Amino acid sequence: MIKAVRGTRDLLPPETALWNFVEAAVRDVFRAYNFHEIRTPIFEDTQLFARSVGEETDIVSKEMYTWEDLGGTQSNKLGELLDVVDQARQNPGVAATLDSVKLFNEYLGTGKWKGQSLTLRPENTAGVVRAYIEHKLWDRGLSKLYYIGPQFRRERPQKGRYRQFYQIGAEVIGPASAGSESPARDAEILELLATLLDRLGIQNWTLELNSVGCPNDRAAYNEALRKALDPVKDKMCADCRRRAVTNPLRVFDCKVPADQPIIETLPRISQFLDEPCRKHFEQVQEILKSVGVEFQLNDRLVRGLDYYTRTAFEFTHGALGAQNAILGGGRYDGLSESLGGPSAPGIGFAIGEDRLILALKESAEGVQRKPDVYIAPLGAGMDREAARLARELRRHDVIADLGDETFRLKKSFETATKLGARYILIVGENEVKAGAFVLKNLESGQQVSVPRAELAKTIQSDK
């Protein structure tokens, strides 16, 4: 039997009702804050992630699903040249074909036959910024964009973490003249998230906040980290020994327990912030206090992607165990320029939807809307009449499920009860002739005869 690949899974009813509940609430909140949906491809040129996320991050170096795409022009060209080689083998004396073989060998030497390197998106910010640049969205001023969709990382599956996982995210990006650099944008994003978690009924969340400074601050901090790590790195795990040389800030991503006492002694980024970054961070905190969003400062908090600057944050929740982050994000003021675009300061976040649902108090059964009525046709020819009646009721937003004329009445009642329907509606020859139908409330047991024209109103009256 073929099964789902390890690290993936099927989402089935009634669980999908919970996902739809979350996504509907998310869309309502985004609408209130004037965000608009963007949908980008699930795979991109590999260089997009190498240049934005960072070559030395675990995502790029270990976790991406990448392949060489031999298609289009390269595939056609290679096919044509292979045909020429076959002709040359059959006619070795023909100078023209030998020239073509030489051309083929030269083509192989260029490496162009390998095609384009493509990667399933491990995150979505890079794709959104790529779209921002490609479509010149700066002409619109400040862009407030959100997305909902799958991402892909080859990481060890654990509670709430999968190789195909789902993210809900948003980005605020645009020219500085449109206000994209303002600390007010950071605070608005954080206040939006607090509103969203509260709306979903997630209680006891914690907002952890930090500033990772500007590129100059990061350079000075990285140098200080290198010096601090140099005498102790050999006592750390293999990943930390590599990171201590290539990208010291990534040492803070380490989850190895034995390395934590060393990491705790390292310099703190808050000591290296320049005055503009310090002031920006203070203003973010002031706005959050004014709107009543509580937070904790955590100057050990770094985000796992290289493009972050200034504000960085995580929302955590105790129901998720040791890996307790529900969502995270931050500011990325230089990302557009690193991808060949204009200056476009921005800030965004990504929610792990799989983990968000684990933190919900709501159950799938609690949000699934069950049938209002189960229509039970009795006798030959009644499937047609039941279908007509179902169509009429559904036009009035009644959730109706259909039985089958071959079912005995007992089986119809059992099926209606199993589905959780509120009513069962009997459709027999006598009912059709009379234009009135037996409608029974399965909870109270009350049974009445209702004229066809009043069925929808009667069914909806006790919703």
Side-chain angles (χ1 to χ4, degrees), residues 56-108:
E56 293 300 325
T57 60
D58 282 353
I59 292 174
V60 172
S61 64
K62 298 179 181 180
E63 298 172 358
M64 295 202 311
Y65 287 96
T66 298
W67 72 97
E68 296 291 336
D69 184 52
L70 186 62
T73 304
Q74 290 90 351
S75 181
N76 294 337
K77 180 72 172 176
L78 185 57
E80 291 170 7
L81 289 173
L82 286 171
D83 288 342
V84 169
V85 170
D86 285 339
Q87 294 174 23
R89 286 173 177 167
Q90 297 169 18
N91 303 284
V94 181
T97 55
L98 290 176
D99 287 343
S100 294
V101 173
K102 181 181 178 182
L103 178 64
F104 173 72
N105 288 330
E106 290 175 354
Y107 180 74
L108 289 181

Side-chain angles (χ1 to χ4, degrees), residues 151-170:
Q151 323 292 326
F152 306 84
R153 295 182 193 175
R154 188 187 289 106
E155 57 182 350
R156 183 173 60 85
Q158 54 185 294
K159 184 179 180 181
R161 291 191 184 275
Y162 301 91
R163 291 180 173 181
Q164 176 179 320
F165 58 99
Y166 296 84
Q167 282 188 343
I168 299 165

Side-chain angles (χ1 to χ4, degrees), residues 22-222:
V22 168
E23 290 170 11
V26 163
R27 292 178 188 278
D28 286 344
V29 171
F30 280 136
R31 190 177 299 114
Y33 286 76
N34 196 35
F35 279 74
H36 303 278
E37 186 175 13
I38 183 171
R39 302 187 185 189
T40 61
I42 65 168
F43 59 88
E44 300 268 5
D45 190 304
T46 302
Q47 278 302 303
L48 174 66
F49 303 112
R51 290 170 61 183
S52 61
V53 176
E55 299 251 16
E56 293 300 325
T57 60
D58 282 353
I59 292 174
V60 172
S61 64
K62 298 179 181 180
E63 298 172 358
M64 295 202 311
Y65 287 96
T66 298
W67 72 97
E68 296 291 336
D69 184 52
L70 186 62
T73 304
Q74 290 90 351
S75 181
N76 294 337
K77 180 72 172 176
L78 185 57
E80 291 170 7
L81 289 173
L82 286 171
D83 288 342
V84 169
V85 170
D86 285 339
Q87 294 174 23
R89 286 173 177 167
Q90 297 169 18
N91 303 284
V94 181
T97 55
L98 290 176
D99 287 343
S100 294
V101 173
K102 181 181 178 182
L103 178 64
F104 173 72
N105 288 330
E106 290 175 354
Y107 180 74
L108 289 181
T110 65
K112 292 180 180 178
W113 61 274
K114 293 181 179 179
Q116 185 180 14
S117 179
L118 301 177
T119 295
L120 291 175
R121 63 187 187 195
E123 59 90 46
N124 220 27
T125 297
V128 171
V129 176
R130 190 266 311 148
Y132 173 86
I133 297 167
E134 183 174 341
H135 301 287
K136 300 181 179 179
L137 296 185
W138 54 84
D139 289 338
R140 305 181 183 185
L142 191 68
S143 291
K144 300 171 76 173
L145 307 168
Y146 77 89
Y147 57 84
I148 301 173
Q151 323 292 326
F152 306 84
R153 295 182 193 175
R154 188 187 289 106
E155 57 182 350
R156 183 173 60 85
Q158 54 185 294
K159 184 179 180 181
R161 291 191 184 275
Y162 301 91
R163 291 180 173 181
Q164 176 179 320
F165 58 99
Y166 296 84
Q167 282 188 343
I168 299 165
E171 318 293 343
V172 179
I173 184 171
S177 59
S180 59
E181 260 184 323
S182 170
R185 302 286 74 77
D186 306 43
E188 182 184 35
I189 282 279
L190 293 166
E191 191 263 324
L192 178 155
L193 288 166
T195 298
L196 174 60
L197 295 179
D198 290 343
R199 182 81 59 90
L200 290 172
I202 295 177
Q203 301 174 346
N204 302 318
W205 50 261
T206 300
L207 167 58
E208 296 187 0
L209 201 58
N210 192 23
S211 175
V212 296
C214 64
N216 289 338
D217 300 338
R218 296 271 286 275
Y221 183 49
N222 270 324

Side-chain angles (χ1 to χ4, degrees), residues 381-418:
M382 290 301 105
D383 276 351
R384 295 192 303 271
E385 298 298 334
R388 288 178 54 202
L389 202 53
R391 182 172 174 80
E392 293 170 15
L393 293 173
R394 288 164 180 161
R395 285 173 174 169
H396 290 87
D397 198 31
V398 171
I399 300 177
D401 207 344
L402 275 169
D404 191 275
E405 63 187 30
T406 63
F407 291 177
R408 294 186 177 183
L409 189 58
K410 180 182 178 182
K411 182 174 181 179
S412 292
F413 269 91
E414 289 173 348
T415 304
T417 302
K418 187 175 181 180

